[in-house]
């Protein structure tokens, strides 16, 4: 991770000094741990203490909650509440491990976790319980950013509020204070708007309003970027998603603010599987180690190149993994990369397509040929459309990787040709719904999970890119009222 001298400047005295996460950790441990009491009932004292300390947690259980773009849980569902509790426990586990306790690792790995249990044969997503040394090292590295108990408390507050913007009631309360042009259904943007208003903080986020001005500024800085780290390495985000990072005051690159924001994604994903029946999070090697590496790489690039463009930053980041995955093609691709135009347009599109397959597709030459020739019209969407909102295909990696089916060698290139034609059909359908969009200066998120569901239902009968093209030729798009999010409807 390197040295973090800037973190000393984050040692912020909060308005309510002396707060510590330790009492919450001790209360959690008192219930017996994951192998004795994994459900909500067995941890009711801990949950009651958590709810009493953080009134914001009630937001996750009131009214309709958006679980992904254009998808909502039934009213008053506790789904996001327990996911948030899981993220909080992931942080408490890290605190425990950083203090050389075994409880931390057990909390994020032990117990009955189905195919992800430690006694099962590990697949691609390795339970960190099987990598004890790596987990303790990761926690030790994270703890270097937590130079005081106030910092741990600040990170806990971060996790408590990180997804409150998914609440319809919360977004409405925020949007009602804004002019129509500034309203959004994006949950991070809604939270950032609330953090920017003293009145809204006091009304909706009372715990945050008690933090020091410096820490409140740190929280606002992170959420104002609206950046989605988990979707970066898979080429899922649109180019415009980098804009908030590039506009960020540079002091937040070195004082820990951006690190806190990125780290919250890791704890968030650890808590994603949590339910009322199993409130403990799950730490996975690719998430903890992979995202941390991506985070450090990205921040280093931002520090080294303060005037870098969105496209260059995206290209440079994806190119690192491309070179590792396709050494036999890298030399030829590098020759084309002497052209800045190629890097910013077709080259970036190639890297994004391959990243969407998690670099498992075996014919990168064909992807390049297709995007240079008959599918050149797709480059504009993948490299950042200059007109209208930029479209992010939410669950795009699953769509392409699973949509290609078994033929990833694809010597003829036909499988990828059909798949890219399918993706173009999705973009075209989405564009038809965005002709009256309020502006072009934002990322529109299109949830394509219904297509992924069709692929899963077909199972071994799925016929690869050709069938994907057929399915996508019949789709419709349903958008929210603000045209900031949509979902595919399969005929």
């Amino acid at each position: 991770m390197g040295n973090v001298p800037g973190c000393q400047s984050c040692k912020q005295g909060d308005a309510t000094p002396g707060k510590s996460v330790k009492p919450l950790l001790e209360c959690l441990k008192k219930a017996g741990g994951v192998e004795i009491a994994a459900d909500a009932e067995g941890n009711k004292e801990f949950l009651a203490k958590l709810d009493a300390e953080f009134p914001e947690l009630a937001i996750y259980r009131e009214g309709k909650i958006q679980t992904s773009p254009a998808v909502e849980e039934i009213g008053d569902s506790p789904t996001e509440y327990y996911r948030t509790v899981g993220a909080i426990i992931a942080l408490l586990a890290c605190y425990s491990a950083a203090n050389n306790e075994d409880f931390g690792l057990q909390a994020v790995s032990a117990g009955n976790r189905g195919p992800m249990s430690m006694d099962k044969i590990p697949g691609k997503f390795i339970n960190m319980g099987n990598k004890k040394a790596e987990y303790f090292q990761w926690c030790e590295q994270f703890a270097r950013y937590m130079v005081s108990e106030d910092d741990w408390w600040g990170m806990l507050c971060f996790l408590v509020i990180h997804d409150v913007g998914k609440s319809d009631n919360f977004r409405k309360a925020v949007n009602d204070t804004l002019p129509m042009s500034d309203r959004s259904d994006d949950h991070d943007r809604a939270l950032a708007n609330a953090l920017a208003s003293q009145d809204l903080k006091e009304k909706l986020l009372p715990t945050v309003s008690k933090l020091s001005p410096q820490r409140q500024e740190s929280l606002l800085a992170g959420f104002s970027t609206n950046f989605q780290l988990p979707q970066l390495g898979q080429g899922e985000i649109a180019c415009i998603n980098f804009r908030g990072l590039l506009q960020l005051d540079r002091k937040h690159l070195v004082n820990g603010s951006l690190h806190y924001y990125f780290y919250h994604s890791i704890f968030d994903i650890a808590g994603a599987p949590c339910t009322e029946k199993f409130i403990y999070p799950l730490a996975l090697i690719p998430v903890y180690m992979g995202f941390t590496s991506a985070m450090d790489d990205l921040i280093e690039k931002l520090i080294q190149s303060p005037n870098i463009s969105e496209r260059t930053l995206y290209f440079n980041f994806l190119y690192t993994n491309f070179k590792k995955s396709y050494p036999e093609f890298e030399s030829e691709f590098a020759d084309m990369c002497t052209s800045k135009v190629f890097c910013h347009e077709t080259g970036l599109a190639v890297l994004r397509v391959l990243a969407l397959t998690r670099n498992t597709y075996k014919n990168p030459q064909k992807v390049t040929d297709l995007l240079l020739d008959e599918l050149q019209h797709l480059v504009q969407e993948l490299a950042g459309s200059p007109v209208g909102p930029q479209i992010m295909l939410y669950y795009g990696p699953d769509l392409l990787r699973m949509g290609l089916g078994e033929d990833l060698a694809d010597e003829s290139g036909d499988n990828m040709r059909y798949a890219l034609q399918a993706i173009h059909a999705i973009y075209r359908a989405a564009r038809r719904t965005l002709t009256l969009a309020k502006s072009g200066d934002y990322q529109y998120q299109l949830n394509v999970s219904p297509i992924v569901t069709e692929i899963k239902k077909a199972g071994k009968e799925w016929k690869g890119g050709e069938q994907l093209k057929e399915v996508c030729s019949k789709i419709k798009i349903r958008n929210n009222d603000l045209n900031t999010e949509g979902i595919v409807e399969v005929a």
Side-chain angles (χ1 to χ4, degrees):
M1 229 181 241
N3 294 323
V4 285
C7 292
Q8 290 297 327
S9 67
C10 293
K11 195 171 184 178
Q12 305 154 354
D14 290 326
T16 53
K19 288 284 190 180
S20 171
V21 303
K22 190 172 183 178
L24 284 169
L25 173 61
E26 293 305 317
C27 188
L28 179 65
K29 290 159 66 174
K30 183 179 175 182
V34 64
E35 293 183 296
I36 294 175
D39 63 358
E41 178 63 25
N43 291 275
K44 58 185 178 182
E45 184 179 340
F46 166 73
L47 294 175
K49 188 175 182 67
L50 204 58
D51 292 342
E53 188 70 61
F54 300 105
E56 294 90 343
L57 288 173
I59 296 172
Y60 295 104
R61 293 192 286 191
E62 297 172 352
K64 290 187 176 180
I65 307 293
Q66 185 185 72
T67 53
S68 60
V71 176
E72 290 182 319
E73 286 287 333
I74 59 174
D76 303 327
S77 167
T79 298
E80 285 300 322
Y81 170 79
Y82 285 109
R83 288 177 175 176
T84 302
V85 167
I88 290 169
I89 294 175
L91 176 67
L92 296 178
C94 180
Y95 180 87
S96 173
N99 285 283
N100 298 312
E101 297 177 350
D102 289 332
F103 177 85
L105 180 59
Q106 293 170 356
V108 296
S109 62
N112 183 10
R113 301 173 184 273
M116 296 308 303
S117 298
M118 284 194 291
D119 60 348
K120 304 298 182 184
I121 299 175
K124 179 179 179 181
F125 297 101
I126 301 172
N127 183 321
M128 288 203 77
N130 293 307
K131 297 287 183 177
K132 181 176 180 178
E134 284 86 343
Y135 179 73
F136 275 92
Q137 181 184 23
W138 187 90
C139 293
E140 180 184 351
Q141 290 176 332
F142 174 77
R144 292 171 63 190
Y145 290 91
M146 305 287 105
V147 297
S148 70
E149 285 294 321
D150 281 347
D151 288 323
W152 286 97
W153 184 258
M155 191 69 200
L156 178 57
C157 294
F158 203 123
L159 293 173
V160 166
I161 68 166
H162 80 282
D163 269 346
V164 292
K166 291 184 175 181
S167 161
D168 283 9
N169 293 340
F170 183 92
R171 293 197 309 281
K172 184 178 187 305
V174 174
N175 282 333
D176 284 350
T177 69
L178 300 171
M180 185 61 69
S181 60
D182 292 338
R183 296 179 182 182
S184 176
D185 261 355
D186 181 278
H187 68 279
D188 280 349
R189 197 170 298 281
L191 177 53
N193 286 328
L195 289 168
S197 163
Q198 188 60 37
D199 288 343
L200 287 174
K201 277 187 290 191
E202 292 177 358
K203 178 182 177 182
L204 302 174
L205 306 169
T207 305
V208 173
S209 68
K210 297 175 184 177
L211 299 175
S212 69
Q214 297 98 322
R215 199 174 298 279
Q216 291 184 44
E217 180 188 8
S218 177
L219 287 170
L220 175 58
F223 285 105
S224 293
T225 67
N226 199 34
F227 187 75
Q228 296 159 293
L229 178 66
Q231 285 78 27
L232 169 61
Q234 300 178 134
E236 193 173 359
I237 56 175
C239 293
I240 200 171
N241 196 240
F242 286 91
R243 190 160 299 174
L245 284 183
L246 295 173
Q247 294 173 346
L248 188 66
D249 188 318
R250 287 185 61 78
K251 71 180 182 182
H252 295 299
L253 298 179
V254 296
N255 72 2
S257 295
L258 191 56
H259 283 88
Y260 299 152
Y261 180 70
F262 283 164
Y263 269 116
H264 104 270
S265 297
I266 297 173
F267 295 122
D268 181 30
I269 293 174
C274 296
T275 66
E276 185 174 2
K277 294 182 178 179
F278 201 103
I279 69 169
Y280 277 84
L282 176 62
L284 299 172
I285 285 285
V287 175
Y288 275 61
M289 309 306 288
F291 285 179
T292 301
S293 175
M295 171 185 74
D296 291 340
D297 184 26
L298 182 58
I299 292 176
E300 183 179 354
K301 284 180 168 60
L302 288 167
I303 292 173
Q304 290 178 346
S305 305
N307 299 316
I308 196 170
S309 70
E310 297 163 13
R311 292 182 179 187
T312 300
L313 182 58
Y314 207 171
F315 179 92
N316 290 350
F317 187 88
L318 295 179
Y319 193 38
T320 300
N321 283 333
F322 168 84
K323 289 188 289 186
K324 296 176 183 176
S325 302
Y326 301 102
E328 73 289 346
F329 182 61
E330 197 274 325
S331 176
E332 183 175 346
F333 191 77
D335 288 341
M336 290 182 274
C337 290
T338 56
S339 164
K340 190 172 183 179
V341 173
F342 177 82
C343 292
H344 278 186
E345 295 183 356
T346 306
L348 176 56
V350 169
L351 296 184
R352 285 192 64 191
V353 168
L354 293 171
L356 284 169
T357 74
R358 299 179 177 88
N359 289 333
T360 60
Y361 182 71
K362 305 301 183 185
N363 194 347
Q365 175 72 67
K366 195 61 184 181
V367 174
T368 307
D369 292 345
L370 288 168
L371 292 174
L372 281 169
D373 189 15
E374 60 187 280
L375 288 166
Q376 191 175 20
H377 46 274
L378 189 55
V379 170
Q380 179 173 295
E381 294 289 1
L382 292 167
S385 173
V387 179
Q390 292 187 25
I391 299 172
M392 169 187 172
L393 300 185
Y394 201 83
Y395 291 110
D398 289 341
L399 171 81
L400 183 56
R401 170 62 189 87
M402 296 170 62
L404 285 167
E406 298 297 322
D407 185 13
L408 296 178
D410 192 23
E411 293 184 8
S412 69
D414 288 342
N415 195 24
M416 180 59 79
R417 175 185 288 106
Y418 289 131
L420 292 181
Q421 288 171 347
I423 288 176
H424 181 251
I426 297 173
Y427 279 123
R428 193 169 62 246
R431 283 282 164 218
R432 285 196 291 268
T433 73
L434 296 172
T435 52
L436 298 178
K438 61 183 180 180
S439 74
D441 198 29
Y442 66 96
Q443 175 178 264
Y444 160 87
Q445 295 186 74
L446 178 61
N447 190 333
V448 297
S449 62
I451 301 174
V452 177
T453 299
E454 291 296 308
I455 300 171
K456 290 179 178 178
K457 285 196 299 188
K460 293 183 179 180
E461 300 302 315
W462 182 256
K463 297 180 176 63
E466 187 170 9
Q467 188 171 356
L468 183 63
K469 178 183 177 181
E470 180 183 347
V471 170
C472 292
S473 68
K474 304 172 185 176
I475 62 169
K476 295 182 179 180
I477 308 293
R478 173 171 54 84
N479 288 352
N480 62 10
D481 293 340
L482 296 173
N483 271 344
T484 55
E485 296 176 350
I487 189 168
V488 167
E489 294 180 337
V490 179

